[in-house]
Amino acid sequence: MAAGTRVLTAHVPEGLADKVDALATRIERSRGWIMKQALAAWVDQEEERHKLTLEALADVDAGRLIDHQSILAWADSLSTDKSLPPPSL
């Protein structure tokens, strides 16, 4: 069974709308198809960003951290003849 649809309306700058129209013409797809693809990709990206943020916060809460000074020392060593190994937990 196909999922229902809803119409969402957004005002976008004319330049962006022109780019969407040009892309639609170039790839022979509708403006709506392009907008659905773009919105789906953005939502997926934001969901992944949220998931990674929650994972990072869980690491902080669990004490799985590398101190800032260790990172700086490692980064500074990369431009020397004797670079340090990457810091680890």
Side-chain angles (χ1 to χ4, degrees):
M1 174 182 248
T5 63
R6 289 179 33 199
V7 174
L8 301 176
T9 303
H11 291 266
V12 298
E14 286 186 17
L16 179 57
D18 291 342
K19 288 179 182 182
V20 169
D21 289 341
L23 179 60
T25 299
R26 188 173 74 239
I27 66 172
E28 298 179 352
R29 292 288 191 160
S30 69
R31 181 188 305 161
W33 184 89
I34 291 170
M35 297 305 294
K36 283 188 271 186
Q37 297 298 309
L39 184 57
W42 181 80
V43 168
D44 288 347
Q45 176 184 344
E46 290 303 312
E47 286 175 343
E48 180 68 11
R49 185 187 326 262
H50 180 68
K51 181 185 89 127
L52 292 173
T53 298
L54 294 177
E55 289 173 5
L57 290 172
D59 283 341
V60 170
D61 290 344
R64 293 185 292 268
L65 305 167
I66 299 172
D67 69 273
H68 185 70
Q69 285 306 115
S70 296
I71 295 294
L72 285 178
W74 169 71
D76 289 342
S77 79
L78 295 176
S79 61
T80 69
D81 292 336
K82 295 196 178 196
S83 60
L84 299 172
S88 60
L89 297 176

